[in-house]
Amino acid sequence: MARDTTTLSRRDVLKTSGAAGAAGLTGLAGCAGIGGGGGDSEYPALGNYPVEGDEVVFGLNVPQSGSYSQEGEDELRGYDLAVDHLNNGGGWVDNWDGLSGEGVLDKTVTTVEGDTATDPDTARQSASRMISRDNAIMVTGGSSSGVAIAVQGLCQEENVIFQCCITHSNDTTGSECVRYSFREMFNAYMTGQALAPVLAEEYGEDLNFYQLYADYSWGQTQQASMEQFFTDVGGWNQIESVPTPLGTSDYSSYLSDVPRDETDVLVLNHYGLDAANSLPQAIEAGLDEDMEIVVPLYNRLMAEAASGSIGGIFGTADWNWQLEDDATQSFVEVYREEYDRAPSYGARIAYTQTLQYAAAVERAETFYPPEVIREMEGVEYDGAGLGAETMRACDHQAQRDVLVMQGATPEEQTEDKLLNIVSQTSRDDMGYACDAGPAAECELGEYGDE
Amino acid sequence: MSREDRVAGDEPVTDGGTVADESTGTGSGGSALARLRDREDFVVIASAAALVVFPFLLIDVLGAIGDVIGTSIGGYAGLPSLVLIYGIIVIGFNLLLGYTGLLSFGHAAFFGSAAYSAALFSQVVPSPILMIVAGTVVATLLAWPIGFVSIRRSGVYFAVLTLTFGQALYFWALGPGSWLTNGDNGFSGIEAHGLFVGALPLDAQLIPVFDSYTVMYAFASIVMLIAIWVGNRIINSPYGLIFEALGENEERVEFVGLNVFRYKLMAFVISAVFAGVGGAMFTIHEQYIHPTTALYWIQSGDFVIMTVLGGTGSLVGPVFGALVFEYVANVVSGVSLPVIGSIGSLWRFVLGAVFVFIVWVFPRGIYGAFADLGARITGGGGDGEEPAAADGGEAE
């Protein structure tokens, strides 16, 4: 905490100027905003508050092109379902406290869409359009941690709440965290905590592991977390950890460098299309005969693309439709009715993050962002398919269970079922304190009403 | 004195020549317009007038039309400034591509290095103007060695060399240089404190009623006017004529006894200065910079597309390209159509269709299309029997 005495860090500059900017913004909005805010204007104008008229706009900023576009489609399905339920009832809306099924604070929810192109700056410009032209009161979406980090920074400046969707990097709620952003998804650190004990038990102790990782924000924190927990928990020994450029299609040179006789476990820290390329290539090269392969973060795209190769391979997932609790079952049911398929975890996060925001607004009885943020901070909830969860106040990271998955063999695979749930690691057995792990680097910044 | 030179020198070359071709050698109106177009003060004043109405048209008028037809087609507050920023860059890029005939695929290097330099500089002195100076200086210094090496080859080798330098910088910023650039997490926390030592915040509104006119926009407009003025100066000077001559035929220039290498290098550096100014402006505008935006080769490709789309044969032509590009990327991409649904990721497809259409129908780009249209109207209104017979006859 007392480390920043000598140099002026970027964050310090951001903090002071953020205050100045916020003051300027309120002053400005003062002349534009007041008048016609309904019974909702007990707070000064801030960001896109107050909401005028009978409608409130949510901005859905998802990848519709680029390497994660398939996940973007799934996210959109989740969002559309959430908005439909918020306006007309159904799904979790009927079970969550506060939500009425008649819009949010009696305003009908409408949406605007944008394409992040899986590119941080495109995502920012798209979010910027939603905020300044379409008056979005909340922006959500993203797949790729680079995008989430870029957009949440913008949202902090603009005093508009951002609900992260798929982002697994430690930095999102760690060194790059902001007050206006919340994350339901788990992170690489928690993947390490959940995966390491299972692997230690399955494969034994004192093994040598070798890592390949996608060379960007997520991959870097991912491989660091794997190293930390495999070393700590199983007493494993890392031979080497090799970066591969994001979007690589041919991994054969990296794979041929893996020392077959020394390596016991090969960790492929790749996601989406990258993993869909690297995993089958590793199998094709026969590496699975000499060692175990681990893919720390599964997703459906990768599981589908590599379906012939994933049999028996361990990894983690945010959530899975095969869980048997009531919330999961009811979500899967309404989703199937609408789209005729099982939801991926991207759809669940999208759905959950939207309802979380709406519920917080209902509890706060206003759209005024600082009050909504305070309502979300530290909230306990259990209707999101993963049992009891906490949206922690100190870093806005959900403390929740994590699923350890194992790929199904080609014979037992069906269209929806590619993975089997091995265990649901309880949040009590993992997580980290506010002054430890990624949270130690997090300074959330201003509410905007100080 | 030099103006006499310029006007005299311009007559036999491209612009006047094509206009004269269209209106078949007559049309006192046409040539008067052409002469007016060459006048420096006219160029600047006309540009200033266009800059004043631009946000109103883009945001308020299009927004109102959008309300009527039920589809949001209006721009948003940040878009006009963004168009101008890219406009500044492509004015410079066009000096290289349109006049000197050098196709650089590595201009993102200058854009990005200036953007990062400005971002880093803002941590010490958060002054927009000094950020531009710092960014531009770095881009210029970088352009020298890159140009020095790349200019030695021509055509596709030149393009690939510049591309290589650009990509090298991209990978550096993403990996080894991430201690400086914050790598893939992007450089945020850039805070330009506003003009006049923070007295005028950049997001403040100039006119209370129109939220489209921000201080940032005014700032970008002024820089744009300077860019147009400088660009106009260069292409209408003897120095600029040599650039143009290089584009026409390098060997002849060499035979005249001029040092081709030196002129090409200068053209390269000058265009990098524009890219540098634009890069620094981009940082100030976005308050965020990421290697993929700043340095990836697609950014260089976008500059090429904007320039060709707008029209390489004229000074401000590329700015129209920047406008169309950014409009499609930022507004059309968010449009939902009744049958097709959300355009979303199809925006590049839309842009491609627009590009093919423009380049096919109007080989000289959007500006060329306007120029032809203008020439036809003034030619028809002036005296021109030929145009009246050509299209008026068919219509009636």
Side-chain angles (χ1 to χ4, degrees), chain A residues 263-282:
Chain A
T263 311
D264 301 308
V265 178
L266 172 66
V267 187
L268 296 176
N269 297 296
H270 294 133
Y271 192 67
L273 272 181
D274 284 5
N277 285 322
S278 71
L279 179 58
Q281 285 169 18

Side-chain angles (χ1 to χ4, degrees), chain A residues 378-445:
Chain A
V379 68
E380 299 270 347
Y381 53 103
D382 61 3
L386 289 167
E389 299 182 48
T390 309
M391 183 57 77
R392 198 158 64 174
C394 68
D395 60 352
H396 293 191
Q397 166 69 52
Q399 300 296 306
R400 30 68 59 90
D401 293 0
V402 172
L403 301 184
V404 177
M405 312 293 291
Q406 196 172 21
T409 56
E411 302 84 60
E412 56 172 335
Q413 284 175 6
T414 66
E415 192 194 350
D416 285 332
K417 187 184 163 195
L418 298 161
L419 305 172
N420 294 316
I421 301 171
V422 177
S423 75
Q424 179 167 356
T425 309
S426 162
R427 63 174 183 160
D428 303 329
D429 300 335
M430 35 179 229
Y432 44 92
C434 282
D435 56 358
E441 295 173 58
C442 169
E443 293 168 57
L444 283 168

Side-chain angles (χ1 to χ4, degrees), chain B residues 283-322:
Chain B
T283 301
I284 295 165
H285 177 254
E286 291 282 309
Q287 315 227 327
Y288 173 84
I289 195 77
H290 187 275
T292 310
T293 314
L295 294 162
Y296 199 45
W297 65 272
I298 288 182
Q299 184 65 265
S300 306
D302 289 349
F303 296 155
V304 179
I305 292 174
M306 288 177 197
T307 309
V308 174
L309 190 62
T312 53
S314 62
L315 173 69
V316 293
V319 181
F320 291 92

Side-chain angles (χ1 to χ4, degrees), chain A residues 8-10 13-14 17 25 28 64-65 113 115 119-121 124-126 128-129 132-134 146 149-150 157 171 175-176 215-217 220, chain B residues 72-77 82 123 182 184-185 187-189 191 193 203-205 282 286-288 290 292-293 330-331 333-334 342 344-345 347:
Chain A
L8 188 64
S9 79
R10 268 186 293 120
V13 176
L14 177 69
S17 50
L25 252 177
L28 269 175
Q64 297 176 339
S65 59
E113 287 174 20
D115 179 17
D119 168 66
D121 197 69
R124 268 178 77 102
Q125 279 164 11
S126 172
S128 183
R129 183 190 74 225
S132 73
R133 189 189 74 181
D134 305 317
I149 288 167
E157 286 164 28
D171 293 345
S175 59
E176 304 286 332
D215 196 6
Y216 76 107
S217 179
Q220 288 154 6
Chain B
S72 312
I73 54 167
Y76 58 96
L82 193 67
Q123 309 299 292
N182 206 18
D184 188 59
N185 282 347
F187 200 122
S188 53
E191 198 66 38
H193 267 197
D203 52 0
Q205 280 166 266
F282 186 84
E286 291 282 309
Q287 315 227 327
Y288 173 84
H290 187 275
T292 310
T293 314
N330 289 298
V331 178
S333 67
S342 164
S345 60
W347 76 265

Side-chain angles (χ1 to χ4, degrees), chain B residues 165-216:
Chain B
F165 281 113
Q167 284 297 88
L169 215 57
Y170 166 72
F171 284 114
W172 184 82
L174 208 54
S178 55
W179 57 274
L180 196 61
T181 63
N182 206 18
D184 188 59
N185 282 347
F187 200 122
S188 53
I190 296 156
E191 198 66 38
H193 267 197
L195 298 172
F196 308 116
V197 205
L200 260 181
L202 288 171
D203 52 0
Q205 280 166 266
L206 275 182
I207 315 168
V209 188
F210 296 107
D211 51 354
S212 27
Y213 293 89
T214 58
V215 173
M216 181 68 212

